[in-house]
Structures are given as structure tokens and as C-alpha cells.
Amino acid sequence: MTIVDVITIDGPTASGKGTVAHKVADALSFHLLDSGALYRLVALASERAGIGMQDVEGLASLATRLDVKFGPDRVWLRGEEVSLAIRAEATGNRASAIAVHQPVRDALTALQRGFRKLPGLVADGRDMGTVIFPDARLKVFLTASVEARARRRYKQLIDKGISANIEDLLRDLESRDQRDRSRAAAPLRPAEDAHLLDTSDMTVDQAVAQVLQWYGAPGS
Ligand code: DC
């Protein structure tokens, strides 16, 4: 049986993992899994369906039936493009709140593992290296100071035309990280065999080059 290589890139909110994962996948022509998008999709779909954040059964059942389609940089929910809608801070916070429920996480496990296809996969999230792909060929845990992350998130949102306030972002990031780290189900933490990469003072390209070098990509 062919073992399909996986590179996992985990880390806190706005650590740059999405951008780094994207560029590493491009450089290797690998598939990409943005697992946070799945939690954001469940958050958006459940909000629209009027399912409460504590209705674990309702949320898990919705996550199992999630009608989602991914394209390059775009995502559709029941045929409607929601690429921008899922990026709202409120949706990210709601995603973090529903991600504490183990049945919701279980409902998304098979969907996430289904992204593992030749020639390889780069998966970013919180528990890619610890839970979803424990046998990944390379595991990276990205960190960055909370100030650096708030600045990046601010720029990301403004670039997308979404209004933002840096103090609110800082507060939201801290409380979201705190919840992601302290939950019982698949808490945010580096896998024991993960390489740690602090990107506070790094450019995206430097971070990408480091990941490619760890992977042993030709020319890196
Ligand atoms: O990476 P992101 O900001 O798009 O993720 C949104 C939330 O989803 C995050 O705060 C926690 C949750 N999440 C998770 O619990 N596990 C993952 N693998 C990815 C995201």
C-alpha cells in the first residue's frame, strides 16, 4: 500500500499557518486541507439553521451531513459560495466554541482524513499532528507573539474589505487561544515529534523555506 505523505502545520489563531500551508502545498503540488474552514462551516451552517452552540447532538449531526465543496481558495456550502462569510471574526469565535465538543470533532474526522490523496497533503489546524494525522511525515507547530498575530489578522481582514479594530482583535485572539488550549477534546498543543517554528520575526517566505527544508524538498 502506498503511504501518502502528510505535512501537518498546527498553531494558534493567526500564527500564519494558513498562508504557510498554502505556499508549502503549492511548492510541492500537494493537496491542502484548511481544517479550520470545516469548523467555521459548521459554525455558519448551525447559526443559519438555528442550532444552539450547546446542542451537541444537533451540531454533530449537521457536521456529519455537511454539504461542502472546496475549490482553489473558495468554498461552497449547499451550493452557495461562503468563502468570505466563514472568515468573519464572529464565525471564527463560534467555530472555536463548537470545536470543544468531542462529537462534533468525531463527525469531522473522516472528512478530514479523506483529503489524504496522492501526491501528498499539507493540513493546517490545531490537532492535525496530534489527532488527525499522527503518522504525518513532518509535523510543524507555528507560534508567534499575540501582538504579531493581532497585527497580521488585522491586515488580513482589512485586505479582504472586512472592518476590524486591533484592540478587539487582540482580546478575541487571547480568549480564543485560551479556549482552544484548555479544552479537553484535542487541545491545541504541539505533537511530541513536532518541529517548533516561531514566526514573530520571520517573513512568510522564510517560514515556508524552513518547512520545505525540514521536509527535505529538492532544492530547499
Ligand atoms: O484556524 P481557524 O481560525 O480557521 O479555526 C477556527 C476555529 O476552529 C479555532 O479557533 C478552533 C477550531 N479548530 C479546531 O478546533 N481544530 C482544528 N483542527 C481547526 C480549527
Side-chain angles (χ1 to χ4, degrees), residues 53-68:
M53 291 201 280
Q54 297 309 323
D55 178 358
V56 180
E57 226 172 85
L59 291 167
S61 141
L62 182 143
T64 319
R65 295 177 283 106
L66 208 57
D67 175 5
V68 49

Side-chain angles (χ1 to χ4, degrees), residues 97-153:
I98 62 175
V100 302
H101 304 306
Q102 187 66 54
V104 175
R105 309 195 68 83
D106 292 343
L108 293 175
T109 301
L111 180 58
Q112 294 176 86
R113 292 194 175 138
F115 279 76
R116 187 173 195 166
K117 290 193 183 124
L118 283 170
L121 175 69
V122 180
D124 90 68
R126 304 290 186 294
D127 62 341
M128 297 296 97
T130 48
V131 176
I132 304 296
F133 301 110
D135 63 339
R137 159 104 182 268
L138 171 66
K139 299 179 186 179
V140 179
F141 193 85
L142 285 194
T143 56
S145 68
V146 70
E147 292 78 15
R149 293 188 287 121
R151 275 198 308 276
R152 284 179 194 163
R153 177 49 57 92

Side-chain angles (χ1 to χ4, degrees), residues 2 8 20 22 26 28 32 39 56 61 94 112 122 124-125 131 154 160 162 168 176 181 193 200 218:
T2 320
T8 60
V20 172
H22 210 286
D26 272 356
L28 298 169
L32 180 68
Y39 288 91
V56 180
S61 141
R94 191 177 163 90
Q112 294 176 86
V122 180
D124 90 68
V131 176
Y154 180 79
K160 287 195 170 118
I162 302 174
D168 291 349
R176 176 128 55 109
R181 280 201 180 95
D193 49 351
S200 307

Side-chain angles (χ1 to χ4, degrees), residues 6-7 9 21-22 24-25 28 30-34 120-124:
V6 181
I7 299 177
I9 304 187
H22 210 286
V24 170
L28 298 169
F30 276 15
H31 299 281
L32 180 68
L33 165 62
D34 168 6
L121 175 69
V122 180
D124 90 68

Side-chain angles (χ1 to χ4, degrees), residues 151-192:
R151 275 198 308 276
R152 284 179 194 163
R153 177 49 57 92
Y154 180 79
K155 188 170 176 308
Q156 251 175 20
L157 291 170
I158 298 295
D159 286 351
K160 287 195 170 118
I162 302 174
S163 70
N165 169 297
I166 199 126
E167 277 82 35
D168 291 349
L169 282 177
L170 216 111
R171 214 182 30 247
D172 278 1
L173 281 186
E174 280 176 326
S175 67
R176 176 128 55 109
D177 288 350
Q178 174 57 24
R179 182 167 45 208
D180 292 348
R181 280 201 180 95
S182 59
R183 68 186 179 208
L188 169 67
R189 62 171 174 81
E192 272 174 25

